[in-house]
Amino acid sequence: MQRRVVSLWFPRLASDRALRARPVDAPFALTAKESNTDRIQCLNTRAERAGLSRGMTLSDARALRPDLITRPADTPGDAGFLRVLARWAGRYCPWVGLEDADGLVLDVTGSTHLFGGETGLIADMRVRLMRAGLETRIGLGDSRGAAWALAHFGEGVAPPQQPLQALAELPVAALRLDPKLGIGLERLGLRSIADLTATPRAPLARRFGNGLLLRLDQALGTQPEPVVPLADPPQYGVRLTLPDPIGLLEDVTAGTARLLAQLCDKLKTRNQGARVLQLTLRRVDQGSQQVELRLARPMNDPVSILPLFERGLSGVEAGYGIDQLRLSATRVEDLAPTQIASAIRQSQTEDVAALITRIGTRIGLENVQRMLPADSHIPERSFILAAAAFSEAAPNWPPRRARPLRLFPPEPVAGAGPVPPVRFRWRRMALRVAAQSGPERLAPEWWLEDENWRRGLRDYWRVETAQGRRLWMFHTPQQPGWYVQGEFA
């Protein structure tokens, strides 16, 4: 049976993916920072027709087209999307592999007849991908090299056992050569694949190396080039079938402990930890219950994980008995290597993660939050709140002047002049200033729109009152007024 290979090239994979989520009717480009300069990484057809190109700086692109719409590129997201397309392409054949960062290669030998032949196969691919909003170029030939060349330089089909008939007029760059090598060949007048095949091989090998001849033979099918399919992701799941039904909490916990030990052994072999575990309990009446455990950090220690199942297992209804338990890790993450010297610190981190998990099972992991430093001198913007389970604690906060333990929206008080008033009323309390220190002047961040800072500059003072209150007050010199924004412990 004659081997047949299909190459799918998505020349605008990144921009097509971005526009699928948020379409725009204008020139559009994705940008990435290279050497401290924003450059165009991918663009749509309208932007290309307007004279823009990949690699162009964003400032030059905006000078040509002020209406250009841009978004930051998401390279990991594009790689994940390409893998999704690879799984979709499995409907045509079982051998699907990646081709660079924007293409797929399929070994369709023996499967074309299922779609009405090669013409029907290509037509079906084109219609489905067009419906998905993806620009695609397709090549088909006897070899991987021939299919790639046709997809990138002359979309079409090479007749079986006659690849040179379709490849002869294509440029030498269609052989997947290094750009410098292609320039060297063109300087000698070897501009097409037909020119190469008509040139003696020995002089070419002496001048350009065996790599050139290898690429030529791969395109013509005289040298094999296999299609390596994507490896299936590892599945982390274990099952325990019981000879007699169980129903006591102690028995279910013991079965879960056995499954955890087996599952964690698998995770440790790949240095991974589970973030989400799902325990499925099948009853003898064919009903089932699921207990999901979401962990605050990736873990693979069964001794630490088992107590966290306690709350979920206590709510299980065994009915007439449970005869099967299945435990799977539905979400896993790689674990960072740890040193022996940091074992104590690692133990403390695991204890905190276990506490977050216990609280999160009751109120939700997203509701257990921690403060992280933010790059801003504005008091209310100097920190952000993030879910503790999905963020790392900041090792060191940047040094700043003392800030109050309690911070709240500014509350006006009566006062005049740049120095804190000697007596004032705040929250229905009559207060008298005993000591003060300041001022600390803060200016608004002019590049951000903030309604609370429309009064301009702020001069902050630390004020200690005779009644024991230690307040953080500020004065606005541009629009005179006094406010209380915080209280020290």
Side-chain angles (χ1 to χ4, degrees), residues 42-77:
C42 192
L43 66 170
N44 66 350
T45 305
R46 290 188 60 175
E48 195 170 77
R49 290 174 181 171
L52 309 184
S53 61
R54 296 191 182 197
M56 177 183 290
T57 62
L58 181 57
S59 57
D60 291 342
R62 290 201 182 280
L64 290 175
R65 290 304 299 258
D67 60 337
L68 177 67
I69 299 175
T70 63
R71 297 175 196 162
D74 179 16
T75 303

Side-chain angles (χ1 to χ4, degrees), residues 368-374 382-388 391-395 397 404-407:
V368 183
Q369 299 180 329
R370 63 160 53 101
M371 289 184 179
L372 300 175
S382 61
F383 65 92
I384 58 175
L385 291 175
S391 61
E392 295 292 337
W397 282 66
L405 183 63
R406 295 178 56 210
L407 198 66

Side-chain angles (χ1 to χ4, degrees), residues 9 19-20 25 35 117 136 145 151 168 193 222 256 264-265 281 302 313 321 352 374 376 416 427 434 462 485:
W9 179 39
L19 293 175
R20 274 164 50 91
D25 187 17
S35 302
T136 314
I193 295 179
T222 56
T256 304
C264 289
D265 287 342
L281 308 168
L313 293 179
V352 173
S376 176
R427 295 186 177 179
R462 296 182 63 180
Q485 192 181 1

Side-chain angles (χ1 to χ4, degrees), residues 182-481:
I183 293 174
L185 291 171
E186 291 182 358
R187 287 176 178 173
L188 294 179
L190 303 176
R191 295 182 172 82
S192 66
I193 295 179
D195 295 336
L196 280 179
T197 56
T199 303
R201 295 170 63 93
L204 289 176
R206 284 195 301 269
R207 181 154 187 172
F208 299 102
N210 293 326
L212 171 61
L213 300 181
L214 175 63
R215 285 302 193 188
L216 178 62
D217 292 340
Q218 287 175 342
L220 299 179
T222 56
Q223 281 288 344
E225 187 178 10
V227 174
V228 181
L230 289 176
D232 293 331
Q235 299 294 326
Y236 296 106
V238 289
R239 183 174 57 187
L240 176 63
T241 302
L242 303 169
D244 296 312
I246 60 176
L248 297 177
L249 177 60
E250 294 80 2
D251 296 336
V252 176
T253 303
T256 304
R258 289 183 58 182
L259 295 178
L260 265 176
Q262 299 175 28
L263 182 64
C264 289
D265 287 342
K266 292 185 178 181
L267 291 169
K268 290 177 181 178
T269 58
R270 295 179 176 269
N271 196 32
Q272 291 184 319
R275 282 300 296 266
V276 181
L277 291 168
Q278 189 172 78
L279 176 65
T280 304
L281 308 168
R282 192 187 70 182
R283 300 196 302 254
V284 294
D285 59 358
Q286 301 305 311
S288 63
Q289 293 189 52
Q290 292 183 342
V291 178
E292 186 180 73
L293 178 63
R294 301 173 64 193
L295 301 172
R297 59 182 297 273
M299 301 173 65
N300 58 14
D301 180 19
V303 177
S304 301
I305 297 175
L306 183 60
L308 304 177
F309 268 107
E310 180 180 352
R311 177 177 173 82
L313 293 179
S314 62
V316 170
E317 293 292 339
Y320 292 104
I322 297 170
D323 62 358
Q324 187 182 92
L325 292 82
R326 175 174 175 80
L327 180 65
S328 58
T330 57
R331 180 182 170 188
V332 298
E333 295 180 5
D334 293 332
L335 291 175
T338 56
Q339 297 181 359
I340 298 177
S342 61
I344 298 177
R345 188 189 312 166
Q346 182 72 14
S347 176
Q348 294 174 348
T349 303
E350 292 178 355
D351 292 342
V352 173
L355 176 62
I356 295 173
T357 301
R358 287 180 179 275
I359 299 174
T361 55
R362 296 174 180 268
I363 64 174
L365 285 177
E366 296 80 6
N367 297 320
V368 183
Q369 299 180 329
R370 63 160 53 101
M371 289 184 179
L372 300 175
D375 186 15
S376 176
H377 65 275
I378 302 300
E380 53 267 36
R381 292 189 190 145
S382 61
F383 65 92
I384 58 175
L385 291 175
F390 309 108
S391 61
E392 295 292 337
N396 295 305
W397 282 66
R400 290 193 179 99
R401 295 194 180 185
R403 294 291 184 256
L405 183 63
R406 295 178 56 210
L407 198 66
F408 40 79
E411 300 175 0
V413 297
V419 180
V422 178
R423 290 180 173 84
F424 59 92
R425 294 188 63 84
W426 175 65
R427 295 186 177 179
R428 300 182 181 180
M429 294 182 291
L431 303 176
R432 182 171 60 85
V433 176
Q436 61 191 29
S437 63
E440 176 191 356
R441 174 162 288 187
L442 296 181
E445 296 174 337
W446 55 266
W447 57 92
L448 296 176
E449 185 68 23
D450 190 343
E451 186 70 25
N452 296 325
W453 281 76
R454 286 190 178 275
R455 301 181 69 89
L457 300 173
R458 294 181 181 180
D459 291 335
Y460 280 89
W461 294 76
R462 296 182 63 180
V463 175
E464 295 188 17
T465 65
Q467 290 74 21
R469 298 281 184 172
R470 303 174 64 238
L471 305 178
W472 204 40
M473 305 176 63
F474 69 85
H475 175 250
T476 53
Q478 293 174 311
Q479 298 182 31

